[in-house]
Amino acid sequence: AQKVTQAQTEISVVEKEDVTLDCVYETRDTTYYLFWYKQPPSGELVFLIRRNSFDEQNEISGRYSWNFQKSTSSFNFTITASQVVDSAVYFCALSEAGGGADGLTFGKGTHLIIQP
Amino acid sequence: NAGVTQTPKFQVLKTGQSMTLQCAQDMNHNSMYWYRQDPGMGLRLIYYSASEGTTDKGEVPNGYNVSRLNKREFSLRLESAAPSQTSVYFCASSEIPAGVVNEQFFGPGTRLTVL
């Protein structure tokens, strides 16, 4: 069975600090997809990134970067020079390709608080 | 292009009452999903529909039924609401070609309280 663990329930940092959100996953499939979503205080879910298991290249998008390491089954998310607008709950999610349209398995989320 | 829409946004029910949550998407996606979000639990899959005419149970299907009315619409029904079904419900859709899993697009959510 697939599982996603986000061990950090809540993180609080001061604005402009760098912060890393951890995500560890479990799956028996060799082909799978990993996702990060952001849920701001307004409540909607915003897609951030998708990564498949064959692409271990790290990705950078502005102040956001993702580190995918199959050897440790981790897909960590780093925000550089954090801003108050980054305050949100962040979810890591997993889908096995064999399951196709079976839906995502989410972690419990990390509540990120950026203090001014 | 509205994306994924859900109605209602808020609902209060009494124990034993029934209701249907509506979801529609205008992205021509094949697959649709219902999740519930509870504090500290993340999102959990209730039911999904891989394509029009098919539905399957997810992780937490008990107490719910679904209908994939057509390609656009996927409704979730609570036949006899219980306080344990107090939650925020999200509908999502995605295009899933064979062997590929794309991102899901989520609706704004329905906040349901069962008294």
Side-chain angles (χ1 to χ4, degrees):
Chain A
Q2 51 191 9
K3 184 179 179 181
V4 176
T5 301
Q6 294 179 257
Q8 304 150 309
T9 304
E10 185 174 286
I11 300 174
S12 182
V13 300
V14 177
E15 197 172 22
K16 297 183 183 177
E17 288 186 12
D18 298 348
V19 58
T20 296
L21 283 60
D22 297 333
C23 173
V24 174
Y25 62 91
E26 297 176 27
T27 176
R28 293 177 183 169
D29 271 17
T30 56
T31 305
Y32 51 89
Y33 292 78
L34 294 161
F35 301 81
W36 276 93
Y37 281 85
K38 174 182 180 180
Q39 186 175 44
S42 52
E44 74 271 24
L45 284 149
V46 179
F47 165 75
L48 296 178
I49 190 171
R50 180 192 77 156
R51 174 67 77 223
N52 75 50
S53 53
F54 296 110
D55 183 1
E56 287 194 73
Q57 246 185 338
N58 292 331
E59 174 130 355
I60 298 174
S61 177
R63 296 183 296 106
Y64 295 175
S65 62
W66 290 268
N67 182 281
F68 176 32
Q69 291 196 336
K70 287 176 74 170
S71 61
T72 56
S73 297
S74 65
F75 186 42
N76 296 338
F77 173 31
T78 297
I79 301 174
T80 303
S82 60
Q83 300 176 1
V84 172
V85 294
D86 295 326
S87 296
V89 180
Y90 290 86
F91 292 100
C92 181
L94 166 71
S95 180
E96 295 169 341
D102 289 359
L104 301 176
T105 296
F106 283 84
K108 294 183 178 182
T110 297
H111 184 198
L112 178 62
I113 300 168
I114 310 297
Q115 300 181 25
Chain B
N1 191 344
V4 180
T5 57
Q6 292 182 235
T7 55
K9 291 187 178 176
F10 300 94
Q11 184 71 47
V12 178
L13 293 177
K14 294 181 180 179
T15 297
Q17 287 185 319
S18 62
M19 79 161 295
T20 299
L21 281 64
Q22 306 287 351
C23 173
Q25 52 92 9
D26 62 2
M27 295 174 282
N28 203 36
H29 287 165
N30 285 325
S31 301
M32 297 186 72
Y33 310 84
W34 277 105
Y35 295 87
R36 61 177 287 172
Q37 182 180 18
D38 302 297
M41 294 296 294
L43 280 80
R44 293 181 293 170
L45 184 65
I46 304 172
Y47 269 93
Y48 64 97
S49 171
S51 60
E52 188 179 353
T54 69
T55 60
D56 284 286
K57 295 178 180 179
E59 180 186 353
V60 289
N62 291 345
Y64 305 95
N65 285 301
V66 290
S67 295
R68 182 75 182 267
L69 305 170
N70 47 55
K71 191 171 185 179
R72 289 187 63 248
E73 299 172 288
F74 188 38
S75 62
L76 178 72
R77 182 161 179 82
L78 287 70
E79 291 290 352
S80 179
S84 60
Q85 294 178 305
T86 294
S87 188
V88 180
Y89 291 85
F90 287 97
C91 177
S93 73
S94 184
E95 187 62 27
I96 309 288
V100 176
V101 180
N102 290 320
E103 65 270 25
Q104 294 183 10
F105 295 85
F106 285 81
T110 294
R111 186 173 295 273
L112 175 68
T113 301
V114 183
L115 302 175

